[in-house]
Amino acid sequence: HIPLLFQARGFGLEDNDLQESGGNDVTYLAGFMQLLAPGVASSIQKAAGLVWKEAKWEHDETNDFVPVDVWDDNDEETTTDTSKYSTKIRPDPVVDCGIRTTEHLSYDKWKGLGQHVDSDSDYTVLVALSDPDDYQGGGFSLCPENYLDLWRETVDEAALGGSDCLRKITVKPNRLSAIVFLSNFMHGVEDIKTSGRVTFANELWRYGNVPAMGMRPSPSMYVLGTDEDNDDSSYDNDDDSSYDDDDENDYEDDDEEDTF
């Protein structure tokens, strides 16, 4: 791993009461991927774009998201001006988004990954770098509900992404297959019995591509240069170049990847 960009990232209840135990060893690669492997970066966004269309997220015309650059000082849900960033609840992953973080994740020293959300990101794209037979246990679990909506309705732990959350999905993807989901869905990794689980994780957000050496910055830090909401230790986990192309080929599927 790259020492300056490496972190043994533990999850704990003391950091965030929506998170459980566990963690991973992470090497941050955002920016380097765009420079050294632009085709891979483009494929990540195209995969998210395919799911955006297939899941009909593109039909959500809700346009009341308030980007950080126009937050009212006293209320983050109100705006003071016209933002330079998308105000769509479900922005186009290819046209409106950039890659916030690209992470090589290893779990050899960890026994799982607690349920959490990727706060402040819009879409998460996970690519398996291990085959299911390379490790025992370690299934990826997803609770396909918006945790903020559930929080307003109930404080029940199961509904918020616990081990018994409603409609929970668990899968062990094949190597080089991708899983794309909304970043505000609760997700985690089931108990890991052996070493060998490796994942390539990417988060897309509406604030553009984070350059090399960026380690999953908060919106305030990245856009405004402040760290008021920098909560990276609990892993909630200016460039406008986000593969802005009107060509329909932006959404062509790649045969190497299966998108769940």
Side-chain angles (χ1 to χ4, degrees):
H1 58 261
I2 306 172
L4 288 176
L5 298 174
F6 174 80
Q7 181 183 14
R9 184 170 58 188
F11 287 47
L13 291 175
E14 67 276 12
D15 294 323
N16 188 328
D17 61 8
L18 288 177
Q19 297 172 1
E20 298 174 1
S21 59
N24 47 41
D25 288 339
V26 54
T27 301
Y28 294 93
L29 301 173
F32 291 107
M33 182 171 66
Q34 289 92 326
L35 290 171
L36 303 176
V40 175
S42 178
S43 294
I44 293 297
Q45 289 190 262
K46 288 178 181 178
L50 285 168
V51 175
W52 181 72
K53 284 181 171 289
E54 186 66 25
K56 297 183 170 49
W57 294 336
E58 64 173 323
H59 298 314
D60 189 339
E61 298 296 332
T62 308
N63 201 41
D64 59 1
F65 184 91
V66 181
V68 66
D69 62 327
V70 292
W71 278 356
D72 185 289
D73 290 341
N74 299 313
D75 185 355
E76 295 178 1
E77 294 186 358
T78 62
T79 180
T80 60
D81 203 347
T82 301
S83 176
K84 63 183 291 188
Y85 304 105
S86 175
T87 58
K88 298 176 182 176
I89 294 296
R90 303 283 177 248
D92 186 325
V94 176
V95 175
D96 298 327
C97 294
I99 297 177
R100 177 191 189 185
T101 187
T102 295
E103 303 172 1
H104 179 277
L105 303 178
S106 172
Y107 294 86
D108 287 355
K109 299 178 182 178
W110 303 88
K111 300 301 182 183
L113 181 63
Q115 292 285 331
H116 64 282
V117 298
D118 298 333
S119 292
D120 299 318
S121 293
D122 292 293
Y123 308 103
T124 300
V125 182
L126 303 181
V127 180
L129 298 182
S130 304
D131 275 317
D133 293 340
D134 291 342
Y135 58 96
Q136 296 180 14
F140 172 78
S141 63
L142 176 72
C143 298
E145 308 285 351
N146 184 325
Y147 90 95
L148 288 176
D149 290 343
L150 290 171
W151 180 260
R152 295 186 183 103
E153 296 170 4
T154 179
V155 293
D156 179 62
E157 179 183 356
L160 288 172
S163 59
D164 298 320
C165 72
L166 300 176
R167 301 203 298 138
K168 180 179 178 181
I169 299 167
T170 301
V171 61
K172 291 184 69 173
N174 293 325
R175 183 175 180 271
L176 298 184
S177 63
I179 301 173
V180 179
F181 57 94
L182 298 175
S183 298
N184 62 2
F185 282 179
M186 297 291 289
H187 58 282
V189 177
E190 303 291 308
D191 290 345
I192 302 172
K193 308 298 184 184
T194 65
S195 62
R197 190 184 195 281
V198 185
T199 302
F200 182 55
N202 303 267
E203 295 176 30
L204 278 59
W205 67 350
R206 65 195 68 225
Y207 299 115
N209 289 310
V210 172
M213 305 301 291
M215 298 174 66
R216 198 177 184 274
S218 69
S220 290
M221 173 62 76
Y222 185 67
V223 177
L224 304 178
T226 65
D227 60 358
E228 294 176 359
D229 66 349
N230 190 357
D231 194 25
D232 190 51
S233 63
S234 60
Y235 194 52
D236 300 331
N237 246 308
D238 177 75
D239 183 355
D240 292 321
S241 58
S242 54
Y243 302 103
D244 191 352
D245 191 343
D246 293 330
D247 193 325
E248 291 182 359
N249 290 333
D250 280 343
Y251 298 103
E252 286 185 357
D253 197 359
D254 296 319
D255 291 338
E256 296 97 351
E257 289 184 331
D258 298 321
T259 304
F260 292 82

